[in-house]
Amino acid sequence: MHVSFDETRNDPNAVLYSRCTIDLSSRDVRFEDVPCRNLEEVLGGIGRSLQFLAERTVTNAYTPENPLIVNTGIFTGSSVMTGLRTYFSAYSPLKVSNKGLPGAMWAAGSGKFGSKLRWTGVDEIILEGRSSEPVIIVVRHGADGPTVELKSANHLLGLECYKKILLLNQEYTDAHFAAIGPAGENYEDCYFGAVALSTVNLLKTGDDKCRWAGRGGMGSVMGYKGVIAIVAQAPDQLERLKPEIRDINRETGTGPSTRKFRDKNRGGLGGTWCTYELFKSLHFLPQNNFRPKGDGKPDLLARPTVEEQQFVVKAESCFRCGINCHKNVYDKTPTGERGRFRAKFDYEPLNLLSTNLGIHDPDQACDLVSLVDHLGMDSISIGTTIGYVLDYNERHPEKQLMNGATFGAFDKIKELVAGAAKGRYPEIGHGVKRLSEQLGEPAYAMHCKGLELPAYLPDTNPGYPFAIAGGHMSMATPLVLMAERDTSLEYWVKAITQRGLFQVRDDMTGICKFSLMSPDMVVKALKYEIGLEITTPELLATVRRIFMRGLRLERQQGFERSDYTLPSEVFDRPNNKLGVGPFITREFFSKLSEEVWSVFDKEVAAL
Amino acid sequence: MVEIRLASFLAERIGGINSVEVLADTVGLALHALTERYPELMRLIWAGGDGVVNPITAVFLNNDLLGPRQLETSVKPGDQIEILAMVSGGV
C-alpha cells in the first residue's frame, strides 16, 4: 500500500493499494496500484471486496465469474497488535436468498499469513476464472516488486489442512500459508469448506494450530477454483514501534476490554470458553439443537471441570498478540504435565460440536473439534447442521436420516462429520437451509439466510436476521439479552440499528475483533501508524456505510423481507426453560422488522 | 479519588468514556457513584437495582477479581477498579 498524503491527511485518493489479479483459466497475472475511492476502501477488507462484488452479476457461487477476493486490512502486517487479519470474500455457496441467488459473504482469520502477504507487496488478490488443474499460488516478495507463480498442487490433494501446510513449510522458507482441506476439495458436496491460515505455533510444533477463515464456504469457493493453497513468502517487515502505538498495544493487551479472553493466570477470565459458566444461570447454552434442557449437563464441559480431569489447558497466541486467546487443550501426563495436543477449545466449536449434539465428554469433544479442523470445515455450519439431523432423527424414529445418529451417539456423529467433508453426506454438506427445506421441516433448522447460527439461542436474539455475514460476526446482538434483560421493542431497535452493526468495523481494518479497540483507539492508531487523520464520527460513518453496502448487495441478490426471519420454532414453540422470555412473538418480530427497516431502508437508498 | 476503568462494551454506552474517577470508600459505593453519574450503565452493572452486581459483569480491584459478595471491600485513593462485561466476543 502506498500512502502519499500532502496537506490533506484524509484524502482516500492518496492511498493506493496493490492488487494482483490472477486469471486462473488463462493463467494471466496482472499487478496494479488501485487508488481508493472512499474511506471504506482505505480501511480495506470488506471495505473493498463488497464494492467489488457489487459490480458483478453472479447467479451461482460455482461459476468462473464469481471472484474470490483475498485481501488484508489497513493494519494487517503493521505494528498494531492483532493486525493480522486476512479476508476471503465471494458470493457464497451457502448464503442464499429464497430466490436461489447466492449472497455475498466473507470470512476472516488471523495467524501470520495476512502479514506475510502484505510483506510480499500485495494487499489484495483477485482470483478470477477457474484452474483446470489443482494449483498452489506462490506470491513472493522480490527486489522489483511482488511475483506470482502457479504450481501444481497434486501432491497436496487429500491431505488434512495442517498437513498440507506442514508440507509446504518444508518447501518454502520464511513463508506462511493459506490452505483448504478435504472439505474444500469436495466443494460440490460440501458448501462450508474453510480456509486454514498458518500460525507460527503450528509451524514450530507441527500441531494442528491453524487459524480459520471459516464462514460462508470461502474454502469451498477456493476449491471450486482449483486453488489448494496460497503461499506468501517474504521477509518480516515490521517497522519500529512508535510510542503511541506501544501505548495502544499495551491497552489492548492488558486493559479491561480483553480480560475476558486472557488466561486466568494473567488476570483474565479464561477465554470465550468462560461463556459456559456465564450461561449456566439462565440456561442460555445451546443443547440438543438449541434447546436447553436445564439438566446441568453443559457443566460437564465448563473449563474448570475439564481441567480437573485428564487435561491441561494452555493459553497461546497468534503472532505477537498479547491477548493469548487460544485455549489449547492437551492430555495430562501421569506427572501432571502437558502431553499430546488435542484441540483448541473456543466457545463456538466446543458448544456446537459437543453440548449441542448431546456430547458431554471432553475427550469426545476434543476428537470432534480436531476432526473438523483437520478436514477444514466451518465448525459452526457443520455442528449446527448435524444438530438438525440428530433432532430430525429423534422426532422421526421411523424414518431416520443417514446413519440414524441421535443426540449423544458419538461414533455415529463422528462418522457424519467425516462423511460431510469427504462427500458421503452431501445433504449435510449443503447446509441446514437446503436440507430442512428438502425434508419439509424448516421450523427447527437453525439458520438465517442459509448461514447456520452460531452458539447463541435465536430465542434470545432477534438481531440475527439483520446480520450481513453470520449472526455473531456482523451484528453484535447475540449476548445483549443476557447483559441487560431488556425485551422492549425500543431497546432492540436501538441494539440493532445503533450498536450492533458496528461489529463489522474490524472486517475492514485488519485487527481482530477480540482486540475490542475503542473507536478512539482505532482513530489514534490510523494517525500514528498510517498517517491517516480522520475523526471518530468519520470512522463510525464509514463502518455504517459498509454495513449498508452489504445490505444493498443482499437486495441485489434477491433477498427480500421474507428472507430476514428466524427459525419459526422461536415463535411457535418457545422454550420455557430459558431464564428470560419468551419475548420474540411473531407480532414482536414483525414490529421490530418494520422499525429496523424504516431506519435501514433510507440509508441504503441514500448510498 | 478511585479510578474506574471500563471495558469497551460499557464505554460505548457513555460516548466512549473509558475511565471515570469517583470518590468512594468501598467498591460498591464506587460503582453506585458511577451509575449515578451515568444512569445508562445502571442495568449493565446492577442486575435488578437491588445491590446485586449483574452476573455478566466482572469487577477487578487492582487486578484482583472480586466475587459478588466483595463489594464492601475498602478502596483508597489511587486504587483502580476495572469493570468488564463477559458478553463480548464470539468465536
Side-chain angles (χ1 to χ4, degrees):
Chain A
M1 195 171 74
H2 308 293
V3 179
S4 53
F5 295 124
D6 44 32
E7 68 278 2
T8 311
R9 308 270 295 167
N10 63 355
D11 175 14
N13 288 293
V15 180
L16 284 80
Y17 62 95
S18 168
R19 174 189 285 167
C20 171
T21 304
I22 303 171
D23 186 327
L24 294 159
S25 304
S26 65
R27 301 210 160 201
D28 285 342
V29 177
R30 188 175 77 245
F31 291 95
E32 60 190 319
D33 285 334
V34 182
C36 294
R37 295 172 291 184
N38 44 46
L39 275 175
E40 293 94 303
E41 291 192 340
V42 172
L43 295 183
I46 67 164
R48 295 171 196 153
S49 61
L50 291 188
Q51 295 188 71
F52 190 92
L53 290 171
E55 292 163 5
R56 292 291 173 96
T57 302
V58 172
T59 56
N60 182 341
Y62 293 152
T63 54
E65 292 74 31
N66 184 16
L68 177 62
I69 302 159
V70 184
N71 66 13
T72 54
I74 196 165
F75 291 129
T76 305
S78 74
S79 299
V80 177
M81 187 189 289
T82 80
L84 300 165
R85 300 299 254 184
T86 311
Y87 306 100
F88 294 78
S89 309
Y91 285 102
S92 164
L94 204 59
K95 180 182 176 185
V96 61
S97 65
N98 288 333
K99 287 185 173 172
L101 294 171
M105 187 61 195
W106 72 89
S110 293
K112 201 177 172 184
F113 172 79
S115 300
K116 283 289 193 186
L117 183 62
R118 280 292 295 275
W119 296 334
T120 66
V122 172
D123 300 306
E124 178 168 284
I125 301 171
I126 309 279
L127 297 175
E128 300 278 17
R130 185 185 188 199
S131 173
S132 55
E133 298 292 329
V135 293
I136 304 164
I137 297 172
V138 183
V139 188
R140 293 189 178 92
H141 173 266
D144 300 321
T147 63
V148 166
E149 186 181 5
L150 302 187
K151 301 183 79 169
S152 169
N154 282 328
H155 62 300
L156 298 179
L157 293 180
L159 293 177
E160 294 166 346
C161 295
Y162 82 110
K163 288 182 179 167
K164 285 187 174 91
I165 287 172
L166 290 173
L167 206 56
L168 289 167
N169 190 44
Q170 291 173 13
E171 297 175 42
Y172 300 94
T173 55
D174 213 2
H176 271 264
F177 312 94
I180 60 169
E185 291 176 32
N186 289 311
Y187 60 88
E188 282 180 296
D189 294 325
C190 186
Y191 290 176
F192 40 72
V195 185
L197 301 165
S198 59
T199 61
V200 174
N201 195 337
L202 159 66
L203 301 186
K204 187 176 160 191
T205 63
D207 292 334
D208 184 359
K209 292 172 177 171
C210 303
R211 298 306 294 133
W212 297 95
R215 302 245 59 196
M218 296 300 104
S220 298
V221 175
M222 196 160 141
Y224 165 78
K225 288 187 171 290
V227 177
I228 306 302
I230 306 173
V231 179
Q233 190 175 36
D236 286 7
Q237 293 172 35
L238 279 169
E239 291 182 5
R240 191 187 181 95
L241 189 64
K242 299 177 181 79
E244 294 85 358
I245 301 301
R246 184 195 59 219
D247 292 345
I248 289 170
N249 289 350
R250 185 179 294 142
E251 175 66 14
T252 301
T254 64
S257 294
T258 58
R259 260 196 200 276
K260 172 182 172 176
F261 307 119
R262 302 202 298 269
D263 219 32
K264 290 185 176 173
N265 62 13
R266 292 188 60 237
L269 297 174
T272 58
W273 198 352
C274 70
T275 306
Y276 259 71
E277 294 156 73
L278 178 68
F279 276 3
K280 195 160 54 177
S281 59
L282 292 175
H283 305 306
F284 272 19
L285 201 79
Q287 188 178 2
N288 293 25
N289 196 26
F290 294 79
R291 199 83 187 165
K293 296 185 168 305
D295 60 3
K297 284 189 176 172
D299 296 353
L300 297 170
L301 284 170
R303 181 170 170 176
T305 315
V306 171
E307 282 186 292
E308 278 168 18
Q309 300 181 34
Q310 71 273 31
F311 300 101
V312 174
V313 180
K314 186 181 181 213
E316 297 176 309
S317 70
C318 287
F319 181 58
R320 298 175 75 242
C321 177
I323 302 171
N324 285 26
C325 76
H326 310 181
K327 306 309 171 202
N328 288 329
V329 178
Y330 295 81
D331 283 334
K332 194 184 284 182
T333 66
T335 55
E337 290 166 359
R338 262 189 306 135
R340 179 172 62 114
F341 172 69
R342 297 295 304 279
K344 176 171 171 285
F345 273 9
D346 279 317
Y347 172 64
E348 304 287 344
L350 175 61
N351 175 267
L352 295 174
L353 293 166
S354 61
T355 310
N356 195 48
L357 304 181
I359 302 279
H360 307 290
D361 175 277
D363 191 64
Q364 293 178 344
C366 281
D367 278 356
L368 291 174
V369 170
S370 69
L371 179 62
V372 167
D373 283 356
H374 288 346
L375 298 172
M377 285 183 281
D378 176 33
S379 51
I380 293 174
S381 286
I382 180 72
T384 297
T385 304
I386 289 181
Y388 174 85
V389 172
L390 307 186
D391 201 351
Y392 183 94
N393 285 348
E394 293 220 337
R395 292 175 192 228
H396 300 285
E398 77 291 353
K399 51 171 184 174
Q400 293 182 327
L401 302 172
M402 299 165 225
N403 64 6
T406 50
F407 292 112
F410 171 72
D411 289 332
K412 287 186 174 180
I413 290 169
K414 192 172 175 183
E415 206 268 322
L416 292 179
V417 170
K422 293 179 178 173
R424 289 197 300 276
Y425 295 118
E427 309 94 320
I428 293 176
H430 291 172
V432 77
K433 175 177 164 67
R434 290 174 175 86
L435 174 60
S436 65
E437 288 173 354
Q438 282 161 17
L439 292 167
E441 292 195 19
Y444 53 98
M446 298 298 164
H447 74 92
C448 287
K449 297 181 277 192
L451 292 169
E452 286 75 14
L453 297 187
Y456 307 96
L457 304 175
D459 319 61
T460 65
N461 178 22
Y464 266 144
F466 304 99
I468 56 174
H472 66 316
M473 302 308 285
S474 57
M475 175 54 67
T477 52
L479 288 159
V480 296
L481 182 67
M482 182 92 198
E484 297 189 89
R485 314 222 183 152
D486 195 327
T487 57
S488 71
L489 189 65
E490 183 190 10
Y491 174 87
W492 279 95
V493 172
K494 275 188 187 169
I496 293 164
T497 63
Q498 294 183 20
R499 296 194 293 271
L501 59 84
F502 290 107
Q503 182 84 338
V504 300
R505 181 193 72 192
D506 296 330
D507 293 307
M508 294 190 279
T509 59
I511 56 177
C512 174
K513 289 181 198 286
F514 283 8
S515 74
L516 291 170
M517 282 170 63
S518 69
D520 291 344
M521 285 167 75
V522 173
V523 165
K524 190 174 168 188
L526 287 170
K527 178 178 176 181
Y528 289 104
E529 186 70 7
I530 310 295
L532 173 69
E533 292 191 30
I534 61 171
T535 63
T536 298
E538 283 174 324
L539 173 68
L540 296 176
T542 306
V543 179
R544 198 167 179 96
R545 264 198 319 274
I546 200 62
F547 186 89
M548 297 306 155
R549 288 183 191 281
L551 281 180
R552 187 171 69 174
L553 194 41
E554 288 188 346
R555 296 204 181 158
Q556 182 178 314
Q557 293 303 109
F559 289 84
E560 297 176 333
R561 293 284 171 91
S562 57
D563 287 276
Y564 296 85
T565 189
L566 289 161
S568 64
E569 281 208 350
V570 171
F571 310 122
D572 300 333
R573 192 173 161 243
N575 186 348
N576 59 16
K577 291 283 193 305
L578 295 184
V580 175
F583 72 103
I584 310 176
T585 60
R586 284 188 190 279
E587 186 188 12
F588 176 91
F589 189 74
S590 171
K591 284 183 182 166
L592 177 72
S593 297
E594 265 177 46
E595 296 209 19
V596 167
W597 288 121
S598 74
V599 176
F600 286 168
D601 279 346
K602 286 181 210 145
E603 293 183 55
V604 169
L607 283 171
Chain B
M1 300 288 265
V2 175
E3 184 191 10
I4 303 179
R5 301 186 71 213
L6 302 171
S8 52
F9 185 79
L10 299 158
E12 70 180 25
R13 298 301 178 91
I14 55 172
I17 296 166
N18 59 11
S19 176
V20 177
E21 289 197 327
V22 297
L23 272 172
D25 297 327
T26 68
V27 173
L29 291 173
L31 299 190
H32 277 297
L34 173 71
T35 51
E36 273 173 25
R37 197 179 305 173
Y38 298 105
E40 306 93 309
L41 299 179
M42 180 69 81
R43 200 189 275 263
L44 283 167
I45 292 177
W46 302 108
D50 55 358
V52 179
V53 175
N54 191 330
I56 64 102
T57 303
V59 180
F60 288 77
L61 173 62
N62 299 327
N63 278 323
D64 291 328
L65 178 62
L66 300 182
R69 299 183 192 285
Q70 291 181 287
L71 295 186
E72 298 303 314
T73 305
S74 298
V75 289
K76 58 184 185 307
D79 280 348
Q80 192 176 70
I81 296 170
E82 275 189 21
I83 312 175
L84 56 139
M86 294 191 279
V87 296
S88 51
V91 293

